[in-house]
Amino acid sequence: MSDEKYVFRPERKRFLAITAIIGVVLVVIGILTTSSGGGHAEEEHSLVNAMSESLLASVEKDVALVAESTEGEGHGSETWLKRLFANLWMNNVYFTGLAIIGLCFVAIQYAASAGWSAGLKRIPLSMASWLPIAFVLMIVVWLVGNHDIFHWTHTDLYAAEGGDEILKGKQAFFYWPLEGTSGMPVFFVIRMVVFFGLWYLFFTWIKREMLAEDLDGKTSHWFKLRKLSAIFLVIFAVSSSVSAWDWVMSIDPHWFSTMFGWYVFASWWVSGLALITYSVARLKERGYLSVINANHLHDLGKFVFAFSIFWTYIWFSQFLLIYYANIPEETVYFVERMTTAPYSWVFYVNLLMNFALPFLLFMTRDSKRHISMLKLVCPLVLIGHWFDFYMMVNPGIMQENGGIGFMEIGMTLVYGSAFVYIMLNSLSKMPLVAKNHPMLQESLHHHI
Amino acid sequence: MSSVTSPVRTPLVTSGKSIHDVTEDICRQVEGKPTRSWMMGMAISLTALALGAYATFVLLWEGIGVWGLNKTVGWAWDITNFVWWVGIGHAGTLISAILLLFRQKWRMSINRAAEAMTIFAVICAAMFPLFHMGRLWLGFYWALPLPNTFGSLWVNFNSPLLWDVFAISTYFTVSLVFWYIGLIPDFATIRDRAKNKISQAVYGALSFGWTGGAKAWMRYESVALILAGLATPLVLSVHTIVSFDFATSVIPGWHTTIFPPYFVAGAIFSGFAMVLTLMIVTRAMFKLEDYITIGHIELMNIVIIITGSIVGIAYITELFIAWYSGVQAEQYAFLNRVSGPYWWAYWTMMTCNVISPQLFWVKKIRTSIVATFILSIIVNIGMWFERFVIIVTSLHRDYLPSSWAMFFPTKYDVGVYLFSFGFFFTAFLLFSKFFPVINIAEVKSIIKTDSEKL
């Protein structure tokens, strides 16, 4: 078999660059419109305060705290800047997820000795090339915007008098070995560095081994990859949950849910699957990937279908248990999202796009075997889970001042085009198909 | 299914069996006289069943006061045993449904026995809530939504205990149909080989007039796929709803959102452990080492590592979030689990479920039959303690310290548990003697695709 290579054409690069520029322009328009329309937020203050008072009536101190934070005294930037940080952070989390799920998918294929996917593993592998950039963005945005994104970073909360008793209880999770008053969340930052470091290290090892197999064709690479993959999956099982607590759950610093780590994973995983499926379908459509046929697309489609249901299962379990127990400290999370003006529509769109649509559209066998249908449903799932991450990140930062407008759309275009650029660029630098993969014959004869 | 197999795969059936060998090897114990080891096993099971039947009779005659329950711990061994047995009842359908959807061919040697195990385990599980009703004969009125004209009030549709009734009865029905349909072609094989009139009549009736025509096989395969698709959400739903029994409450230690997937993982974990215990005995008893190979045992052990580690992550998540939440009641509940009067139960659970399965990372251990057998039993001990820890440690510290209590089992708690064991093993031994323990028809489809034959 000849070496098939993906050609990253200049017009494709130009298209991505123009998309990114349009994104930047939209972000600027968004900033201008947000910073000039500041009066709107004031009206809703009394409403939000009334809501938080009724929710937290039993805890007087908390009412004072919530009132203080919504007024934005002492800390908190201008609304537009806060919103910019919120956008940067949610895209960081979302695209980091797509990148690491690429590696996770590859690792699962090796660890499970899967044969059917032998011809398409380079696509998820290339997604993980985003990891170093994701790390830099994560660190930079965190350094610049942490006071706006994470309420718990304010040192006055840990003051002996008048601090936040709940946050004082959990300061060790962020600040260990220091105290919250130091303002240096050592443990939190170390975790971020270590997780990205380990993920990148395993990405490099796995990629090196995969490409070495192309040259000498020894099956020993496959056995080594299976081992590396198993170790990576163990690390990822722990780090994915902890990073979900760190980067997402701690935005709402009083709220907690034991399901949250797996919830974020489920959302990352199904969006990653949708991107893999979409990319494979598009490459196939453009005449690449001669080793891939409708059977492989069908399997990928089944993954997106099944894990859309799985995500819904996790979503519903978390929601139902909090709803049913009706403990105010926990229900406040859903009250803020489900019944608060800027977010309630997103709450329902999230379920529509991530459950109802993929469930119905991917129900039949044929829909998973035709590129045209895959090209419709996979972007729906990707956009749907963008909404899901929006709901996890932005309401906690923006409270009643949030929304989806030019800034959100523009920022996502910038991140999306950068991600795709890095992914395709990395894909163009390696053979598209692992010609010496020991499972390639199985994959070629795959028929379902 | 693809007929090409990669050279890195090891064969699923060893010793180069032919299609005829498969029929002979598996029908042997159905057609032959019961072996000595089988008779011994049956004697032990029947003794347990008889002893347990006495305890169960006393329970039904005297009422549930003979158990060690008190006003604080109103649920203990009964619900622990219920959850434990339901959990074991998960592996069968997981192996047949989810592994079928994932095209894991190694499941073919073990799915029949695992499905049978599922059915018996679910029956064992269902006993406990029925016994706990006190008046078993009124169970139908209390558990099923029969209209008021029958003289009782409607059941409480808001209660997860009622959802359990629907979930488990649906799961049981689908599992039974799935298992039985798989058996039909094999019953027909035994019917066709039968020498005496009684066997011919019995297996003839059981095989529903199977002809073995192409059309029949086509329908058989599509039914298997449809039932697999139905059974997969059911596997998740059953233990999800069992977890709701606890998690929908506001009791510290019970109200935690991770319960549904964590209970499902734990169920698969204990179910696979029980499959291993049974299969290691069965393969030795009926000389099936070429069908249930070390490779099968190793793969099942890997499933044990994965699910055991998922359960471990869930334990640690619960502990961490209890601390992180800052909710005093939650923090106390978990501190009490770890270091309270039931610390020994907690650490038994941790050792058996999280630490000991990690031994399977060593290839020598996961390919050793003795080690696997011991660890599979340890895992099930651990999983029993997991439910005991969740249930009793959360209940025994009531909201009022004056109501704090301990739970001490009576001989009737033990006796009824023994009854379920007696029933389970009696049923399983009867199954393994009179039904083909391995799916003859399916195993025949994999002996030719092994890499050795290419």
Side-chain angles (χ1 to χ4, degrees), chain B residues 14-33:
Chain B
T14 51
S15 300
K17 297 282 181 187
S18 69
I19 287 180
H20 182 65
D21 292 338
V22 175
T23 314
E24 285 294 330
D25 288 343
I26 296 167
C27 292
R28 194 191 314 122
Q29 105 277 350
V30 180
E31 291 160 350
K33 287 231 166 358

Side-chain angles (χ1 to χ4, degrees), chain B residues 16 154 183 247 296:
Chain B
W154 281 100
L183 275 164
H296 287 89

Side-chain angles (χ1 to χ4, degrees), chain A residues 9-78:
Chain A
R9 289 184 201 288
E11 57 264 33
R12 202 110 278 274
K13 290 181 185 172
R14 202 178 313 129
F15 173 76
L16 288 171
I18 292 169
T19 314
I21 291 165
I22 293 172
V24 172
V25 171
L26 288 177
V27 170
V28 172
I29 296 174
I31 291 172
L32 293 176
T33 51
T34 316
S35 56
S36 61
H40 176 64
E42 305 261 317
E43 295 161 24
E44 289 188 17
H45 263 176
S46 55
L47 202 150
V48 170
N49 283 348
M51 189 181 79
S52 35
E53 265 172 62
S54 69
L55 279 168
L56 302 165
S58 53
V59 197
E60 275 179 38
K61 192 166 264 173
D62 277 11
V63 176
L65 263 170
V66 171
E68 188 197 343
S69 68
T70 47
E71 276 154 31
E73 277 175 10
H75 43 254
S77 311
E78 298 271 328

Side-chain angles (χ1 to χ4, degrees), chain B residues 56-91:
Chain B
T56 309
F57 175 76
V58 173
L59 175 83
L60 289 174
W61 190 258
E62 299 285 343
I64 55 169
V66 299
W67 277 342
L69 303 175
N70 52 52
K71 69 177 166 36
T72 306
V73 186
W75 262 8
W77 276 41
D78 47 351
I79 191 88
T80 303
N81 296 342
F82 161 71
V83 181
W84 189 74
W85 278 119
V86 172
I88 288 170
H90 270 62

Side-chain angles (χ1 to χ4, degrees), chain A residues 241-257:
Chain A
S241 274
V242 180
S243 55
W245 304 334
D246 275 354
W247 305 340
V248 191
M249 196 168 79
S250 81
I251 292 171
D252 294 88
H254 286 176
W255 187 76
F256 54 89
S257 165

Side-chain angles (χ1 to χ4, degrees), chain B residues 231-408:
Chain B
T232 304
L234 279 174
V235 173
L236 273 91
S237 81
V238 172
H239 231 65
T240 295
I241 290 170
V242 169
S243 82
F244 285 171
D245 291 348
F246 308 102
T248 49
S249 72
V250 289
I251 293 174
W254 285 8
H255 171 68
T256 167
T257 49
I258 206 172
F259 258 27
Y262 143 52
F263 265 50
V264 172
I268 295 165
F269 180 55
S270 66
F272 262 83
M274 189 57 105
V275 173
L276 274 168
T277 313
L278 294 176
M279 292 322 270
I280 287 172
V281 174
T282 311
R283 81 196 275 273
M285 201 190 278
F286 298 137
K287 300 190 175 47
L288 296 169
E289 285 89 348
D290 284 325
Y291 299 93
I292 302 157
T293 62
I294 296 291
H296 287 89
I297 290 171
E298 188 180 358
L299 286 170
M300 284 195 272
N301 283 335
I302 290 172
V303 175
I304 296 232
I305 304 180
I306 296 168
T307 49
S309 305
I310 292 175
V311 167
I313 290 176
Y315 292 162
I316 293 162
T317 303
E318 279 191 315
L319 276 178
F320 167 73
I321 298 283
W323 169 80
Y324 175 88
S325 71
V327 178
Q328 272 187 335
E330 286 287 334
Q331 290 176 337
Y332 174 74
F334 281 89
L335 188 70
N336 184 46
R337 272 188 199 179
V338 176
S339 59
Y342 284 110
W343 65 270
W344 49 272
Y346 183 83
W347 290 104
T348 307
M349 163 190 109
M350 269 295 186
T351 314
C352 297
N353 288 352
V354 183
I355 300 164
S356 67
Q358 303 305 325
L359 291 172
F360 283 139
W361 284 101
V362 182
K363 192 170 171 97
K364 260 227 171 82
I365 297 178
R366 69 169 183 263
T367 50
S368 148
I369 290 172
V370 178
T372 303
F373 187 71
I374 294 169
L375 277 169
S376 72
I377 291 170
I378 286 179
V379 165
N380 264 321
I381 294 172
M383 283 308 290
W384 190 88
F385 272 101
E386 180 199 292
R387 279 65 175 253
F388 181 80
V389 164
I390 291 171
I391 291 155
V392 175
T393 63
S394 284
L395 286 177
H396 86 129
R397 288 291 176 256
D398 210 334
Y399 293 109
L400 289 174
S402 59
S403 307
W404 287 7
M406 295 291 285
F407 172 78
F408 299 102

